[in-house]
Amino acid sequence: MKQERDESYSHVLKYTGVFGGVQGLNVLIGLVRNKFVAVLLGPGGMGLVSLFNTTVQLISQATHLGISFSAVRHISEYYDAGETEKAAHYVKVVRGWCLLTALLGMLVCIVLGPLLSNTTFAWGNHTLHFVLLAPAIGMIAITGGETAILKGQRKLGALALVQITAALASLAVSIPIYYFFWQTGIVPVIVLMAFVTMCATLWFSLRIYPLRLSGARGILGEGMDMVRLGVAFTLAGVVGSAAEMVVRSYLNVVADLDVLGLYNAGFMLTITYAGMVFSAMETDYFPRLSGVNRDVEQTNYTVNRQMEVSLLIIAPMLTALIALLPILIPQLFTSEFIPVIPMAQVTALAMFFKVLTLPVAYITLARGYSMTYLMLEAAYYVIFVLFIVLGYQHWGLLGTGIAITLAHVFDYLMINLYAYKKYGYRVSATVSRYAIVLFALGFLAYACTILLDGIVYWVVEFFVVLASGLYSLQILRQKTHLWQALTRRFCKG
């Protein structure tokens, strides 16, 4: 009954909505914060903020071994099995490794301070600034481990509160400091934000598993599986970052900064928009999948259920995005970004395939096959870069959007075929039926952008978006009402 309850439409829909909403709140607060930062610090100050934040993210990614993600798998397995003592012991393992990676990250930041100053700045000595960022890197490592504990224990409400606290604190902390101290306050703001987030996370995690140092000797060796998976996850992220850098360098060389800016705007708008829904997968879905990763039937059920709900939520949003981009682009940016509209519209189609790929891709991570995950990710990014180069050569900026969509089609076929043969994954007939209807409406919305204009375009797009939204809403209402009726009947019986 517990497993069935966790897998109900109500549960998946609730937490997809919760964490999608939290992501939306983060985006909104980020827009407000960036507006104030732009006014208070100017373009140069915003450049410094971006530079220091990028440095912190890079060192954190390189030294924290992906534990914030990989630790979730074991903790989830113990949670679903009801093995509280093993879970408590593994929490010690996670905290031991996080402390080690925190010290490593701080040491690397301090040692590389002079090098970072020389390579990132053409003026002045900024070594002290990078040294002062070291505590932030250490605190991010601690926060990552405690976040993994909350995810593994399904403390989703606590995770949502932590994210909201961090978002609001970023606004409350940064604006006064920047107002009084200008660019001098950039490093303190970064450190203070890491501290606030760490404290908020510890407030919840220590209430579940209080800090106990007894029996901590010799535990690091028990976390090697976690580290191997984490390193593979980290390397996959590095490969992805490298691929993005190659693409942006290529566009800057063969075109110019204006084309690169347009590409970046179109890419970020569509990916960030869909990411508001995908954010729930790592927080809620991956722990649930990890708990049943050895049961083929339960794995298929969990994957298909997540896919159904995600598809029903995101497909109408993507259809509306395709239709409304001619209005959204000038409002969110300026009229200079109008040329990116065709590229962004075709890129939105890629997200239809991603929603059918990502839940299946997590099976490999839930099973702990680190090298397999790394190789699959590497294969996708090789195709991604190759398609971008060919797409831009043949069709310019529009070609990059076509390339992104074709790369996601390749990823969908590769991941699903591999899961079919290796893990016995089978897509359900329900998912296939929903996908055919919603994809058809999404592609119809895109076809209208090519074939129609004027008032006819808006009338047809209105009915297409309405049909997609009503179809999804009706199914979600039927599923949640059916589940609630069955639950009441079971409880009465």
Side-chain angles (χ1 to χ4, degrees), residues 3 33 86-87 111 124 128 224 333 351 356 422 426 436 490:
Q3 181 62 40
R33 184 182 64 248
K86 288 184 177 180
V111 171
L128 180 60
M224 291 309 298
F333 301 99
M351 296 300 98
L356 298 182
K422 181 70 175 179
R426 301 293 183 269
I436 290 172
F490 179 85

Side-chain angles (χ1 to χ4, degrees), residues 182-365:
W182 200 49
Q183 294 185 4
T184 309
I186 293 176
V187 171
V189 164
I190 294 173
V191 175
L192 282 173
M193 281 311 307
F195 178 74
V196 170
T197 306
M198 181 185 71
C199 289
T201 309
L202 287 169
W203 171 262
F204 292 103
S205 64
L206 291 179
R207 296 171 73 178
I208 305 171
Y209 291 108
L211 184 62
R212 292 190 175 93
L213 299 178
S214 59
R217 293 186 61 184
I219 63 173
L220 294 181
E222 301 178 36
M224 291 309 298
D225 287 343
M226 171 184 69
V227 172
R228 279 192 289 269
L229 180 60
V231 168
F233 186 74
T234 299
L235 289 176
V238 171
V239 170
S241 298
E244 286 295 335
M245 184 174 67
V246 169
V247 166
R248 283 163 170 77
S249 298
Y250 168 78
L251 292 176
N252 188 37
V253 170
V254 301
D256 53 37
L257 282 175
D258 288 341
V259 170
L260 178 57
L262 291 171
Y263 167 83
N264 192 61
F267 183 87
M268 291 304 297
L269 180 62
T270 51
I271 301 301
T272 301
Y273 187 78
M276 292 168 58
V277 175
F278 294 139
S279 66
M281 291 198 184
E282 184 179 332
T283 306
D284 172 48
Y285 165 66
F286 180 63
R288 287 187 289 111
L289 182 64
S290 297
V292 298
N293 71 84
R294 297 301 173 184
D295 187 324
V296 175
E297 183 179 350
Q298 283 295 331
T299 295
N300 284 346
Y301 182 76
T302 303
V303 172
N304 284 314
R305 180 57 54 86
Q306 181 69 39
M307 199 179 291
E308 287 177 32
V309 176
S310 298
L311 181 62
L312 290 169
I313 291 175
I314 201 171
M317 295 169 62
L318 290 172
T319 304
L321 179 65
I322 292 171
L324 295 174
L325 274 171
I327 295 176
L328 293 175
I329 291 289
Q331 296 299 320
L332 293 175
F333 301 99
T334 66
S335 58
E336 296 179 27
F337 286 82
I338 289 177
V340 81
I341 292 175
M343 176 263 185
Q345 287 172 324
V346 72
T347 302
L349 296 176
M351 296 300 98
F352 282 99
F353 292 97
K354 185 171 183 176
V355 77
L356 298 182
T357 304
L358 197 57
V360 184
Y362 272 101
I363 299 176
T364 299
L365 288 169

Side-chain angles (χ1 to χ4, degrees), residues 155-176:
K155 301 299 180 182
L156 305 179
L159 287 167
L161 287 174
V162 168
Q163 292 184 27
I164 293 172
T165 300
L168 293 174
S170 69
L171 200 61
V173 169
S174 60
I175 294 175

Side-chain angles (χ1 to χ4, degrees), residues 47-74:
L48 281 176
V49 172
S50 174
L51 187 62
F52 286 134
N53 274 322
T54 301
T55 301
V56 170
Q57 292 169 6
L58 177 63
I59 296 177
S60 295
Q61 188 180 51
T63 60
H64 294 173
L65 306 181
I67 291 175
S68 61
F69 183 87
S70 59
V72 176
R73 176 172 166 262
H74 284 291

Side-chain angles (χ1 to χ4, degrees), residues 136-150:
I137 294 171
M139 288 185 282
I140 290 171
I142 301 298
T143 301
E146 302 302 317
T147 300
I149 294 169
L150 292 175

